[in-house]
Amino acid sequence: GLFVTDYFTRTPRKLSPFRSFASIELFHFHIPEDTVIAVWNLITFKEQGGTFGDQCPDRSITVYFRSGAPSVINPLHTHFPRDTAVPGSFALTLTWTLPNRTTGVFNVTSPLPGDWFLAAHLPKDEGKISVKGLYEECQYLFQPQLIVQRLVNIAVLYPGHITEQSMAPHNRSCLYKVFVPSYTSRVLVEVLQCRGAEGCPLWLRVRAKAPPLHNSTALDCREHTPCQLAQDLPFWQHWYYVLVEKHPGVPGTVSFQVTVQLTDCSRPSLARPPFLPSSASMNMPHSFGSAGGLGLGDSPPPTTPNSTKHPVPIPVTSPAGERCWPVRPTLRNELDTFSVHFYIFFGPNVSVPPDRPAVFVINLLPVLDSGGVLNLELRLNVSSLHGENVTVFGCLNHEVPLTSGDNASVTCETESLAGFLLSVNATASLSRLRIPYPQTGSWYLSLRSLCAAEHGFEPCTNVTAEVYLRAYLSPCINDCGIYGQCKLLRTNNYLYAACECKAGWNGWGCTDNSEAFSYGFQLLSTLLLCLSNVMFVPPVAIAVRSHYLMEAAVYIFTMFFSTFYHACDQPGIVVFCIMDYDVLQFCDFLGSLMSVWVTVIAMARLQPVVKQASVGRCPPAPQVLYLLGAMLLAMALQMDRHGLWNLLGPSLFALGIMAVAWTARTIRRRHCYPPTWKRWVFYLCPGALIAAAAVLLYAFVETEENYFYIHSIWHLLIAGSVGFLLPPRAKTSRRLGPLPRRKGCGYQLCVNEQEELGLVDPAVASINSICTS
């Protein structure tokens, strides 16, 4: 055949350590039909500061593959919620081959067509809390690329018609496909009039949705005569691929005929089951019980020049015990994103007769519905059993209803199907099933009632069970509970939901409490973070006593909002919010930065430095800097609240102002400022050491595990350093008389320089006091 190659790529994305499904990177691909091979080229590279991260450590990268919906992954081996079905997926771990780059290849032969999803993440880290911008972090970027090779012009087989084929010596196989409509109960493929050098040296393989593989359903035509391969309960509304393969080493040309016969159980004229119930007995209108699929054999298709097709009769009898019951549809009611309820006509109470199953269909839209959770709930009305030991079994299957001819069978699996089994009885009258990230398409639920017997189950006689059926689509399982948050995530144009747990809870629905914080620990951590702000009371008292009223107001502001921000920021249930969380966070950050700013400006003692005339109309210099700093800090926090320069910028600028002021005093007086050694030994040096220790703890020691007490110590150290660093009250001398004031814009400075230098007793007034305007 003719092969066509298609190429798809995705933008590189930064990978994150795994904490929950909300921290993974999801990539969405679409594989076309008739694809014979798909090759994913997985590219991973490191970056650090905009350059290649040759010095970054090697961290393994895990990639998950799944067809139809995102993978339900559990790398931390946590417990899933009860009644949750976990679909399988394939995982691949990438290791580094170069210092800054690695590639991996993942091949899929004859992949299923449609949506494919890749999920990638880094291993879980130690939970260190790093300050943004402190150093260049190592970034691990992942970029998948997809190359597909597909066949074009695959020969189509028409049911009931014969296709003749001659396989040349240089050919190994012939590939065909046939479309299977709804209400098809059996697919029969047959090879006729096979002629070759060694009898019929052919293999016959059949597979749904994609070309057959080496392990697909196969039949050796040399050992079976006639060469017939049947598929019971085929997938509806899908292509079935038929591969006729020559045995290796067979010389010469092999000729044969291929025909396909489909058993349509929805039309009595084509395949009449032994008993077909009337639609009235199913409690549904007549239109719901009619055939909804395409009739087979109504009009023969046209023949093509390169093959000859002869019509063959379709058998009107079906295998013994085979049933094809009407499928009751459901009404789709969309409430919100991933919030869909499926209502049953003439429901939600469903009557399950003893002699036949009740079949329902739930349609999930492509792509749109695969990012949520499919929930199914069965509740048995015990009063409808009339004392009989009846069990109602439900089989949920994808793309085809499982209607077994054996009424006593309670399994939901066949050789080619695997479904989900639910059961309710008088003892356990409620059964639930949750399927995270379900595959889209049609889901069929078959309900049937069986009575308990000595050796298993047997059909009931005259008991009609009544079941309450509820089916709906939700974003997360139980909305992630009280210890989780359901987040709506997006990758390109694909939406999906995932839980993000807190307070040590884990799992897909935040139900795994193996590492959960106890209530006492949550209360203790909240009290530590809140009550540690009481350490600001001594700095407030010192500031008020020293007449630093502006600084005292800033400290009170910081203490108040830091207390209530941490009370609202707790991950558990010990939470108290007096206003919006974002407002509390902004005020807490602003108060912290303003505390540093006003303390350093106060230490600069700018008033004695500026020797200008004093006029009441002009504000003092510190007040101008206070107001300017508040506006600039508010602007910086609005741009990036967690940036490093939000703290370093104002701190370094204020320290620069203080250094200039102290240097000016030192040069003018020819004496080190502050002048007394006691001020350096007992106040400035301890305060600077305490502040430095607080910054080191905040930047390098704080992790998610020790956050509660390390951050509380940060509060204590910062408040304590303010008490040491805040300068003493400015002492002024008594004036000998009123001095004339010049008009203009200046600052009045009345300071006893000898008192400032510590040379005389501050209580003694001196004529040497200088009052400068």
Side-chain angles (χ1 to χ4, degrees):
L2 178 63
F3 289 93
V4 175
T5 303
D6 296 327
Y7 175 80
F8 308 93
T9 186
R10 294 294 179 264
T11 305
R13 295 186 201 159
K14 176 186 174 183
L15 299 182
S16 302
F18 183 84
R19 299 180 60 185
S20 65
F21 199 86
S23 59
I24 64 100
E25 289 295 330
L26 192 66
F27 300 87
H28 178 206
F29 290 91
H30 184 82
I31 292 183
E33 290 184 345
D34 305 335
T35 298
V36 294
I37 187 170
V39 179
W40 271 280
N41 188 27
L42 310 176
I43 304 174
T44 306
F45 50 94
K46 308 174 187 177
E47 282 189 359
Q48 186 177 21
T51 60
F52 284 111
D54 296 335
Q55 306 301 323
C56 293
D58 295 342
R59 306 186 66 182
S60 60
I61 296 173
T62 308
V63 187
Y64 300 84
F65 299 82
R66 188 188 174 200
S67 171
S71 302
V72 181
I73 63 177
N74 186 23
L76 302 182
H77 306 290
T78 56
H79 298 291
F80 280 88
R82 293 183 56 188
D83 307 320
T84 302
V86 183
S89 60
F90 186 84
L92 178 68
T93 301
L94 300 179
T95 56
W96 296 92
T97 56
L98 296 175
N100 54 23
R101 184 184 180 92
T102 185
T103 57
V105 178
F106 180 70
N107 299 336
V108 179
T109 304
S110 298
L112 297 177
D115 299 310
W116 278 73
F117 294 87
L118 274 67
H121 65 83
L122 296 173
K124 183 182 179 180
D125 58 4
E126 64 276 7
K128 186 179 183 304
I129 301 176
S130 59
V131 180
K132 182 179 178 181
L134 184 61
Y135 55 88
E136 295 292 345
E137 296 183 359
C138 290
Q139 296 184 357
Y140 300 83
L141 288 89
F142 178 74
Q143 180 184 20
Q145 299 173 347
L146 174 62
I147 303 174
V148 298
Q149 194 175 51
R150 56 188 177 89
L151 274 170
V152 295
N153 298 328
I154 297 179
V156 178
L157 299 178
Y158 295 95
H161 289 75
I162 295 177
T163 300
E164 295 184 356
Q165 184 73 48
S166 294
M167 192 180 303
H170 62 276
N171 287 340
R172 288 288 310 277
S173 62
C174 294
L175 183 64
Y176 311 90
K177 64 180 181 178
V178 59
F179 187 76
V180 177
S182 299
Y183 299 97
T184 301
S185 60
R186 197 164 187 257
V187 177
L188 179 64
V189 182
E190 186 175 5
V191 176
L192 305 173
Q193 299 183 10
C194 178
R195 295 181 299 272
E198 301 176 0
C200 188
L202 298 177
W203 279 94
L204 179 62
R205 303 181 188 271
V206 178
R207 186 189 177 198
K209 305 179 184 179
L213 299 169
H214 67 280
N215 58 351
S216 300
T217 304
L219 185 69
D220 190 353
C221 293
R222 290 187 300 185
E223 300 176 359
H224 296 81
T225 304
C227 187
Q228 295 179 343
L229 187 59
Q231 290 278 329
D232 293 325
L233 298 176
F235 295 108
W236 293 355
Q237 299 292 325
H238 284 287
W239 288 99
Y240 265 72
Y241 290 80
V242 178
L243 180 65
V244 180
E245 192 175 13
K246 187 191 301 183
H247 280 272
V250 175
T253 301
V254 179
S255 62
F256 56 91
Q257 295 178 347
V258 180
T259 181
V260 177
Q261 298 177 10
L262 304 183
T263 303
D264 184 359
C265 61
S266 66
R267 304 193 57 177
S269 61
L270 297 181
R272 183 186 301 276
F275 174 75
L276 183 64
S278 62
S279 58
S281 64
M282 293 292 290
N283 192 23
M284 55 190 295
H286 289 273
S287 60
F288 291 162
S290 62
L294 175 68
L296 303 178
D298 291 342
S299 57
T303 59
T304 56
N306 57 356
S307 64
T308 305
K309 295 182 174 63
H310 305 285
V312 296
I314 298 178
V316 296
T317 59
S318 59
E322 186 175 297
R323 298 290 188 272
C324 185
W325 307 108
V327 178
R328 295 177 59 177
T330 55
L331 176 65
R332 178 186 177 92
N333 184 17
E334 297 187 6
L335 304 178
D336 202 348
T337 304
F338 299 130
S339 182
V340 182
H341 284 197
F342 300 95
Y343 295 102
I344 300 173
F345 289 95
F346 311 102
N349 294 323
V350 178
S351 296
V352 183
D355 55 350
R356 57 186 177 272
V359 185
F360 306 88
V361 60
I362 300 172
N363 292 314
L364 300 185
L365 299 181
V367 179
L368 296 178
D369 294 341
S370 62
V373 179
L374 179 61
N375 301 268
L376 193 66
E377 180 179 322
L378 291 179
R379 188 186 299 272
L380 178 64
N381 186 2
V382 181
S383 61
S384 65
L385 304 181
H386 304 291
E388 297 289 338
N389 191 5
V390 178
T391 302
V392 177
F393 293 94
C395 283
L396 183 66
N397 294 83
H398 187 229
E399 296 179 337
V400 61
L402 182 60
T403 54
S404 174
D406 183 10
N407 288 332
S409 176
V410 295
T411 181
C412 288
E413 296 182 2
T414 63
E415 294 181 357
S416 58
L417 292 177
F420 303 97
L421 177 65
L422 299 92
S423 63
V424 288
N425 51 34
T427 305
S429 60
L430 178 64
S431 179
R432 292 189 178 93
L433 176 65
R434 304 182 180 96
I435 305 178
Y437 298 157
Q439 291 179 310
T440 56
S442 298
W443 287 84
Y444 295 91
L445 177 65
S446 303
L447 299 178
R448 51 184 172 166
S449 59
L450 299 175
C451 291
E454 295 181 359
H455 304 286
F457 293 91
E458 62 182 12
C460 298
T461 55
N462 295 321
V463 180
T464 299
E466 187 175 299
V467 177
Y468 171 82
L469 175 60
R470 184 187 180 202
Y472 61 97
L473 195 69
S474 63
C476 300
I477 298 178
N478 291 337
D479 201 23
C480 303
I482 61 175
Y483 289 102
Q485 181 182 7
C486 186
K487 288 192 171 183
L488 185 63
L489 308 172
R490 182 177 66 88
T491 169
N492 294 332
N493 294 327
Y494 180 75
L495 291 176
Y496 60 101
C499 288
E500 190 172 67
C501 307
K502 54 187 179 180
W505 290 73
N506 294 306
W508 196 262
C510 300
T511 55
D512 189 342
N513 60 352
S514 58
E515 300 179 359
F517 301 156
S518 64
Y519 178 81
F521 181 81
Q522 296 179 40
L523 181 61
L524 176 63
S525 61
T526 303
L527 292 177
L528 280 176
L529 289 170
C530 294
L531 297 182
S532 59
N533 289 283
V534 180
M535 191 63 184
F536 273 97
V537 172
V540 170
I542 294 173
V544 172
R545 183 174 177 273
S546 302
H547 291 187
Y548 290 107
L549 301 182
M550 181 73 72
E551 290 79 356
V554 173
Y555 301 152
I556 294 174
F557 179 90
T558 303
M559 179 177 62
F560 177 84
F561 280 102
S562 179
T563 299
F564 287 100
Y565 164 67
H566 286 290
C568 185
D569 188 47
Q570 294 309 300
I573 60 175
V574 186
V575 179
F576 178 71
C577 299
I578 62 172
M579 58 182 68
D580 187 70
Y581 174 82
D582 190 69
V583 176
L584 291 174
Q585 186 187 65
F586 178 83
C587 294
D588 172 60
F589 286 20
L590 179 62
S592 301
L593 297 179
M594 280 297 299
S595 298
V596 177
W597 175 263
V598 299
T599 302
V600 179
I601 295 300
M603 292 173 61
R605 301 287 288 269
L606 296 178
Q607 287 185 345
V609 178
V610 184
K611 306 289 185 178
Q612 294 182 354
S614 175
V615 177
R617 297 191 304 269
C618 300
Q623 296 184 10
V624 175
L625 292 177
Y626 290 164
L627 181 60
L628 182 62
M631 293 187 294
L632 293 178
L633 288 176
M635 178 195 68
L637 289 176
Q638 188 64 25
M639 292 189 298
D640 186 6
R641 295 184 186 178
H642 301 278
L644 175 64
W645 286 102
N646 289 344
L647 177 63
L648 285 184
S651 301
L652 295 178
F653 185 68
L655 288 174
I657 295 177
M658 184 187 71
V660 171
W662 285 11
T663 303
R665 284 196 182 91
T666 301
I667 294 175
R668 179 166 56 87
R669 299 170 181 175
R670 296 185 178 89
H671 193 279
C672 183
Y673 184 86
T676 60
W677 64 270
K678 294 182 179 180
R679 183 69 187 169
W680 285 96
V681 174
F682 295 107
Y683 294 97
L684 296 180
C685 290
L689 292 177
I690 293 174
V695 172
L696 292 178
L697 286 177
Y698 179 80
F700 300 103
V701 181
E702 200 170 75
T703 63
E704 294 180 359
E705 294 183 357
N706 62 21
Y707 172 79
F708 306 110
Y709 49 88
I710 292 295
H711 202 76
S712 300
I713 296 175
W714 151 267
H715 288 164
L716 298 176
L717 294 179
I718 286 296
S721 66
V722 169
F724 280 94
L725 296 176
L726 197 65
R729 177 182 177 181
K731 301 179 178 61
T732 58
S733 62
R734 291 173 296 183
R735 299 177 184 174
L736 299 179
L739 295 177
R741 300 172 61 184
R742 289 188 295 173
K743 296 181 180 180
C745 182
Y747 302 94
Q748 184 179 12
L749 305 176
C750 295
V751 179
N752 189 327
E753 289 189 348
Q754 291 190 3
E755 290 182 8
E756 187 177 358
L757 294 174
L759 302 179
V760 296
D761 188 358
V764 180
S766 174
I767 194 66
N768 295 328
S769 297
I770 301 175
C771 185
T772 309
S773 296

